[in-house]
Amino acid sequence: MTPASFLLRNVTVVDGTGSAPVPGQALVVEGRRIVWIGPVADAPSTAPENVVDGGGRTVLPGLINCHVHLTADGAPDLMAQTAGDTVPLATLRAAAGAVETLMSGVTTVRDCGAADDVVVELAKAIDRGLVPGPRVQAAGRVITMTGGHGHFIGREADGPDEVRKATRAEIKAGAAVIKVMATGGVLTPGVSPTQTALLPEELAVVAQEAHNSGRRVTTHAIGRSGIHNALISGIDSIEHGFYLDDELLDIAVAQGTFLVPTILAVDGIIRNGMAAGIPEWVVDKAEREAAKQRESFAAAVASGMKIAAGTDAGTPFNPHGDLSRELALMVQHGLTPMQTLIAATRGAAENLGLAHELGTLEVGKLADLVVVDGDPVADITATGRVVLVVKDGVVHRDELPDTGPAVPTARPR
């Protein structure tokens, strides 16, 4: 779709910077970018058919989910689904998940691992306008030790030389970010979540190769030793981080390392359990680690560690499009609503290396906008009441009344 040019008026702006909400505002989109923001009374003259009235609702930057798996759809047994899917079926799942994500107000995601280059290619298809979806920063295959967590969607490698080659192979394949496994995990049989996996010298070459190519690198890290290995190896963000302590938090804060907590992943497993078809060994591991995850997240909040929002969407009973539920859990366990909104906008954009284009409502930034019913600073669940989604200046969802027929949408209303 060709980007629109329009005036969005009568909205309260929550700009993603942490500044207080500003009511009675308007903004102008021309092509792919925001070109003006200010009071409604000062808005540029605009043809009536190109005026969108927000009805006093709240406009936010397009939300960002820093941890998804688009080729999975929340089935009870993720490993069985992954093993059973053909490449065409996995591709169809990924495309469906991308649409669901975009319609929920998430305009950018980081996909943290998929087999067969499916999501690398999906990201290209979305960029070319072949299929609708959020902007996708795809990790491709994860880098893991032989038999390590996620080996069924990964490149198995042992020792610095093999790990270096695996990282270079993912860069060659088109990965926009590198994902590495520093510990075991909940969803791989035969490994403990706290098990130490790749060693510091192996993680360091992943970080070196990623950074040499201008990419960021993130790691699955649950156990303390694995988190420590990742921090001293120059990894940019920690996924999950269940066993953070004061020493690790001091290192993380000093380095500016991000935490992507993914509280929703464990929550989905525990809420549904074996009765819903989740394997017993998955439920057992999740139940053992749940309390530690909450404690670790609260400690990270208190320490001032940088936090970016991510759901681990695709894991059992954790469907795409549920970022608002993750944000509610982040508030429940220690962040303020404003801090949580930053984690899903400016902070998430910084974590992905995209803050120069995304994450805040500013003149010159890409026109990624979400309008929601209610005040998310007072009630974070308002992020789940989405009525307008704009990505790159294109309106993909419009449930506002009387917005004017001349504003093109990428999907029929």
Side-chain angles (χ1 to χ4, degrees), residues 284-361:
D284 287 346
K285 287 196 277 186
E287 288 178 343
R288 286 199 303 270
E289 302 299 343
K292 194 61 187 174
Q293 181 191 36
R294 293 191 294 269
E295 292 171 11
S296 187
F297 176 70
V301 171
S303 76
M305 184 178 182
K306 291 181 177 181
I307 295 173
T311 65
D312 213 352
T315 56
F317 295 95
N318 184 7
H320 299 283
D322 264 6
L323 180 62
S324 63
R325 291 185 56 227
E326 174 77 16
L327 303 186
L329 288 171
M330 292 167 76
V331 171
Q332 181 181 332
H333 294 297
L335 284 182
T336 67
M338 181 62 85
Q339 289 172 325
T340 301
L341 291 172
I342 293 171
T345 54
R346 184 186 66 188
E350 182 182 346
N351 187 35
L352 271 56
L354 299 175
H356 60 295
E357 292 277 43
L358 302 170
T360 55
L361 297 179

Side-chain angles (χ1 to χ4, degrees), residues 67-135:
H67 193 134
V68 304
H69 296 279
L70 285 167
T71 56
D73 61 8
D77 190 338
L78 179 143
M79 189 172 180
Q81 182 179 75
T82 301
D85 276 359
T86 61
V87 171
L89 183 53
T91 302
L92 291 169
R93 284 195 205 281
V99 172
E100 188 174 5
T101 298
L102 181 60
M103 294 304 122
S104 74
V106 173
T107 57
T108 303
V109 299
R110 180 173 65 183
D111 188 283
C112 283
D116 302 307
D117 301 323
V118 168
V119 180
V120 170
E121 295 304 315
L122 176 64
K124 296 176 186 176
I126 291 170
D127 284 347
R128 294 168 184 165
L130 297 177
V131 292
R135 191 176 294 100

Side-chain angles (χ1 to χ4, degrees), residues 52-54 57 398-404 413:
V52 179
D53 195 307
R57 297 172 180 86
D398 180 5
E399 296 175 9
L400 288 168
D402 301 321
T403 56
R413 290 176 59 180

Side-chain angles (χ1 to χ4, degrees), residues 78-383:
L78 179 143
M79 189 172 180
Q81 182 179 75
T82 301
D85 276 359
T86 61
V87 171
L89 183 53
T91 302
L92 291 169
R93 284 195 205 281
V99 172
E100 188 174 5
T101 298
L102 181 60
M103 294 304 122
S104 74
V106 173
T107 57
T108 303
V109 299
R110 180 173 65 183
D111 188 283
C112 283
D116 302 307
D117 301 323
V118 168
V119 180
V120 170
E121 295 304 315
L122 176 64
K124 296 176 186 176
I126 291 170
D127 284 347
R128 294 168 184 165
L130 297 177
V131 292
R135 191 176 294 100
V136 178
Q137 190 179 81
R141 295 173 174 87
V142 302
I143 311 297
T144 190
M145 72 178 194
T146 296
H149 181 52
H151 62 82
F152 47 93
I153 55 168
R155 289 186 185 270
E156 294 173 288
D158 304 294
D161 289 343
E162 282 190 17
V163 169
R164 189 184 300 278
K165 185 172 183 178
T167 306
R168 289 174 173 174
E170 280 310 299
I171 293 168
K172 178 183 177 182
V177 60
I178 299 299
K179 167 79 176 296
V180 64
M181 302 305 205
T183 70
V186 171
L187 293 171
T188 301
V191 301
S192 164
T194 57
Q195 172 185 344
T196 302
L198 293 181
L199 300 174
E201 58 269 27
E202 295 170 315
L203 294 169
V205 298
V206 178
Q208 181 185 43
E209 292 298 331
H211 293 158
N212 283 350
S213 68
R215 290 162 172 81
R216 291 173 66 80
V217 57
T218 190
T219 185
H220 167 103
I222 290 177
R224 187 198 186 280
S225 179
I227 297 171
H228 182 259
N229 290 345
L231 289 172
I232 65 174
S233 301
I235 303 297
D236 298 304
S237 68
I238 304 294
E239 309 296 308
H240 319 305
F242 291 7
Y243 284 81
L244 289 162
D245 60 22
D246 289 345
E247 179 186 356
L248 298 181
L249 288 166
D250 286 345
I251 298 171
V253 171
Q255 294 181 169
T257 309
F258 275 90
L259 171 67
V260 182
T262 67
I263 306 170
L264 198 57
V266 169
D267 180 74
I269 294 168
I270 292 174
R271 277 189 299 103
N272 292 277
M274 288 184 291
I278 303 175
E280 182 177 4
W281 55 268
V282 171
V283 177
D284 287 346
K285 287 196 277 186
E287 288 178 343
R288 286 199 303 270
E289 302 299 343
K292 194 61 187 174
Q293 181 191 36
R294 293 191 294 269
E295 292 171 11
S296 187
F297 176 70
V301 171
S303 76
M305 184 178 182
K306 291 181 177 181
I307 295 173
T311 65
D312 213 352
T315 56
F317 295 95
N318 184 7
H320 299 283
D322 264 6
L323 180 62
S324 63
R325 291 185 56 227
E326 174 77 16
L327 303 186
L329 288 171
M330 292 167 76
V331 171
Q332 181 181 332
H333 294 297
L335 284 182
T336 67
M338 181 62 85
Q339 289 172 325
T340 301
L341 291 172
I342 293 171
T345 54
R346 184 186 66 188
E350 182 182 346
N351 187 35
L352 271 56
L354 299 175
H356 60 295
E357 292 277 43
L358 302 170
T360 55
L361 297 179
E362 298 180 73
V363 171
K365 291 279 185 84
L366 290 174
D368 279 22
L369 319 170
V370 179
V371 175
V372 301
D373 268 327
D375 176 6
V377 178
D379 174 14
I380 195 66
T381 66
T383 56

